[in-house]
């Protein structure tokens, strides 16, 4: 049960609670408190990776075991290493990739989440745009930058880049990178 701090004013706390309930934020608030500080917008994403069709190489058991061990490490640097290696499409079963990315995309460490976003984009799993769109809502700048960098040249990505550039609430670093990416896309299409 969530314990609320005691306040001297008997009206302030019930007023705040009423506002939260009326605004519909109770599930969000309680979920965030239950997760003990996980501030990722990627917590609700479901990763789906399809096995490659046709002439795909048999999964390499040794490589797979190494990646699984690194991904399960308590050391975030080891988990980042696993994801860096996953970004290179190696001989690993799609189901294993899916499980590792699912865990990593929800990791408490922003470096792991950022690398998971990059690996996800490189692997071409599921609906890339949905994952990138959610990653752009992450509280950590590094995760958002990785998502922004992973956006493609398709119409949806270009529209999202334009939205970011025009968003007054967005950080300058994100807006600048979005503007540079848009400029790069427009010069490469000419």
């Amino acid at each position: 049960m969530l314990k609320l701090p005691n306040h001297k004013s008997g009206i302030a706390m019930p007023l705040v609670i009423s506002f939260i309930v009326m605004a519909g934020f109770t599930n969000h608030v309680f979920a965030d408190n239950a997760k003990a500080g996980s501030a990722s917008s990627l917590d609700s994403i479901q990763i789906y990776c399809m096995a490659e069709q046709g002439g795909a190489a048999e999964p390499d058991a040794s490589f797979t075991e190494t990646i699984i061990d690194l991904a399960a490490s308590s050391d975030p640097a080891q988990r980042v290493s696993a994801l860096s290696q996953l970004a290179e499409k190696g001989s690993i079963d799609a189901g294993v990739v899916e499980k590792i990315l699912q865990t990593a995309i929800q990791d408490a460490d922003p470096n792991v989440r950022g690398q998971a976003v990059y690996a996800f984009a490189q692997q071409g799993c599921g609906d890339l745009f949905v994952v990138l769109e959610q990653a752009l809502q992450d509280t950590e700048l590094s995760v958002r930058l990785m998502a922004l960098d992973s956006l493609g040249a398709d119409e949806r990505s270009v529209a999202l880049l334009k939205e970011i550039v025009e968003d007054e609430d967005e950080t300058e670093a994100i807006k600048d990178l979005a503007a540079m990416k848009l400029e790069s896309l427009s010069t490469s299409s000419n």
Side-chain angles (χ1 to χ4, degrees), residues 42 47 80-89 97 101 104-105 110-125 128 131-132 135 142-151 181:
L42 298 166
I47 302 296
V80 167
S81 176
L83 294 163
S84 296
Q85 292 179 54
L86 275 184
E88 309 283 325
K89 282 192 176 183
V97 171
L101 289 176
I105 208 101
N111 295 320
V112 175
R113 287 195 313 273
Q115 193 63 43
V117 168
Y118 179 73
F120 183 83
Q122 297 306 306
Q123 286 286 333
C125 296
L128 177 61
V131 172
L132 295 179
S142 62
V143 176
R144 293 176 24 233
L145 287 169
M146 193 63 80
L148 185 62
D149 188 51
S150 297
L151 284 170
K181 187 153 182 120

Side-chain angles (χ1 to χ4, degrees), residues 48-95:
Y48 178 71
C49 298
M50 294 175 35
E52 290 188 22
Q53 302 296 321
E58 251 336 275
D60 179 340
S62 175
F63 178 68
T64 300
E65 185 178 331
T66 300
I67 295 297
I68 290 170
D69 289 345
L70 288 171
S73 173
S74 61
D75 179 7
Q78 296 288 315
R79 296 192 306 272
V80 167
S81 176
L83 294 163
S84 296
Q85 292 179 54
L86 275 184
E88 309 283 325
K89 282 192 176 183
S91 305
I92 190 165
D93 180 70

